Amino acid sequence: MKTIRLRPGKERSLLRRHPWIFESAIAKGSGDAGETVRVEAAEGQFLAWAAFSPASKIRARVWSFDEQQRIDASFFIASCAESIRARGRFDIQSNGVRLVHGESDGLPGLIVDRYADTLVAQFTSAGVERWKDEIADALLAATGLTKLYERSDASSRTLEGLPEATGWLRGQGDVELLLQEHDWQLAVNIAEGHKTGFYLDQRDSRKRFHNYAKRLGFQRVLNCYCYTGGFTVAALQGGAAHVTSIDSSGPALEKAAANVALNGFEASRVDFMDADVNASLRQFVEQGRSFDAIVLDPPKFAPTVAHAERAARAYKDINRLAFKLLEPGGVLFTYSCSGGISADLFHKIVASAGCDAGVDGYIHERMGGAPDHPMTVYFPEGEYLKGLVVMRK
């Protein structure tokens, strides 16, 4: 077993059970890509077993802090089974569920979503890549399913020195699947859709938006970065009279229109715009348009803290424009999925946007990812998605 030894003082995060070991923390030692290494403090005491990644700034990711633990096929069988068992204790109103959420479930770099009878997995670190076959078998054994599609095409693979890999890993089947969520349905393509096919992390936010639409009787809804229309369908299901949905992807808008039809809503209740959101918001302000509900669910503007300053300006600009378009008493659902933007910073950005727009509002709720995308005590970085529900005064 190869060993890496840390610099003096660099063991503190591991003693707090944080699973990442950065390149700068290592005094000596190395391993092959994905190889399990013994991690020791500067004085030589055992700290953890970790997967080594020679190409990444996060040079090792912890499998276990138990010196007696063996990292073998049995370890992954037990870890996958426990993660999947935990989902049975969550309130998930859907046949689309995140079964494994990386570090939060003790499996760094592994994302696994279930869509009906099909699993979709992303292997985004050298460690899980090395154990891919064993993990695939463990997942099927724990779920009793036979189909597993791989979507290892996330940009983080590049940071690990890994090529993209997609396709059926176990079994064969349709890539066009039907997602049942709350009171509606959404078509999902696991081969082409974003992430593993869809944004399951916003499941509960879509339900909350539906509830607000039903309770407040939204007449004019604006859904920005609408993708395949999840919030659009939720609003219509809640009784919204009309929804304007904007995205810069024509194919995504086609799927959004199909999802509206799938749920039995008239096409006349939705306008789809293939356009830039920022430019569209500015145009709406110039035209004097207004809405009584707006959703801002943009893509990741700041993947790391290093991008935070530039991203903050982008978030502020779209929120400022949204505040100007919001009717008094109107509701803004605004989000950031950027890991480099903390919940506190996002709140400050939205507050600054409101000040610049000359608009005050009540913060009704703080939103986060659905419970099957957990943040844990030891790994607060799991809180990548954060949102605010603001009602304009």
Side-chain angles (χ1 to χ4, degrees), residues 265-279:
F265 301 119
E266 296 179 4
S268 60
R269 293 176 64 186
V270 187
D271 287 335
F272 290 105
M273 295 177 58
D274 185 350
D276 176 77
V277 167
N278 195 290

Side-chain angles (χ1 to χ4, degrees), residues 359-379:
V359 172
D360 194 6
Y362 301 105
I363 295 179
H364 271 213
E365 298 185 56
R366 295 179 182 273
M367 306 296 289
D372 50 341
H373 295 65
M375 171 183 65
T376 67
V377 172
Y378 294 149
F379 190 68

Side-chain angles (χ1 to χ4, degrees), residues 216 218 292 326-331 391-393:
L216 298 177
F218 294 156
D292 50 12
L326 199 61
E327 287 274 6
V331 178
M391 179 177 286
R392 179 174 175 173
K393 287 187 176 182

Side-chain angles (χ1 to χ4, degrees), residues 1-4 30-39 46 48-53 59-64 66-67 69-73 75-76 126-128 130-131:
M1 183 66 65
K2 294 179 182 177
T3 299
I4 60 173
S30 66
D32 297 331
E35 184 177 7
T36 299
V37 296
R38 177 186 174 95
V39 183
F46 172 84
W49 301 112
F52 197 78
S53 181
R59 193 51 55 96
R61 291 174 168 83
V62 172
W63 293 128
S64 174
D66 178 2
E67 190 170 5
Q69 178 69 62
R70 293 189 62 181
I71 308 304
D72 54 15
F75 169 80
F76 292 101
V128 291
R130 190 179 181 107
W131 291 95

Side-chain angles (χ1 to χ4, degrees), residues 86-318:
R87 271 54 186 179
R89 300 192 291 270
F90 300 158
D91 181 16
I92 301 170
Q93 302 299 315
S94 177
N95 67 348
V97 183
R98 173 145 300 181
L99 298 180
V100 180
H101 192 55
E103 283 82 348
S104 294
D105 286 304
L107 293 165
L110 179 64
I111 298 297
V112 183
D113 290 336
R114 175 175 182 166
Y115 297 93
D117 65 349
T118 303
L119 299 181
V120 185
Q122 288 186 332
F123 299 84
T124 65
S125 69
V128 291
E129 177 72 15
R130 190 179 181 107
W131 291 95
K132 184 183 291 184
D133 284 338
E134 290 81 358
I135 290 171
D137 291 340
L139 290 169
L140 295 181
T143 58
L145 301 180
T146 60
K147 294 182 289 185
L148 172 58
Y149 193 88
E150 181 176 7
R151 279 294 304 271
S152 298
D153 52 359
S155 59
S156 54
R157 293 261 303 182
T158 304
L159 301 177
E160 293 282 306
L162 300 171
E164 291 187 2
T166 60
W168 288 102
L169 199 57
R170 296 287 187 275
Q172 294 283 331
D174 292 332
V175 295
E176 292 278 355
L177 302 174
L178 195 62
L179 177 67
Q180 301 281 343
E181 181 181 275
H182 302 299
D183 299 321
W184 51 84
Q185 299 177 317
L186 298 164
V188 174
N189 187 305
I190 59 173
E192 299 176 358
H194 292 180
K195 303 178 83 172
T196 64
F198 196 59
Y199 292 96
L200 296 179
D201 52 1
Q202 287 283 38
R203 178 194 314 113
D204 291 354
S205 284
R206 288 188 286 270
K207 179 61 173 177
R208 294 301 296 152
F209 194 63
H210 160 273
N211 292 348
Y212 274 76
K214 190 172 183 178
R215 180 168 59 86
L216 298 177
F218 294 156
Q219 295 299 302
R220 299 177 308 284
V221 173
L222 175 61
N223 182 13
C224 300
Y225 311 97
C226 71
Y227 186 45
T228 57
F231 278 102
T232 298
V233 170
L236 294 171
Q237 187 71 36
H242 188 272
V243 183
T244 300
S245 301
I246 309 175
D247 202 280
S248 59
S249 168
L253 291 173
E254 290 178 6
K255 290 180 172 61
N259 278 328
V260 168
L262 175 66
N263 287 276
F265 301 119
E266 296 179 4
S268 60
R269 293 176 64 186
V270 187
D271 287 335
F272 290 105
M273 295 177 58
D274 185 350
D276 176 77
V277 167
N278 195 290
S280 298
L281 293 176
R282 293 178 186 279
Q283 182 182 39
F284 291 164
V285 170
E286 291 172 0
Q287 294 172 345
R289 293 183 65 177
S290 64
F291 301 87
D292 50 12
I294 299 175
V295 178
L296 291 179
D297 188 19
K300 189 184 297 184
F301 288 165
T304 68
V305 175
H307 301 85
E309 184 176 348
R310 182 176 63 183
R313 291 194 294 270
Y315 283 119
K316 180 179 176 180
D317 201 33
I318 58 172

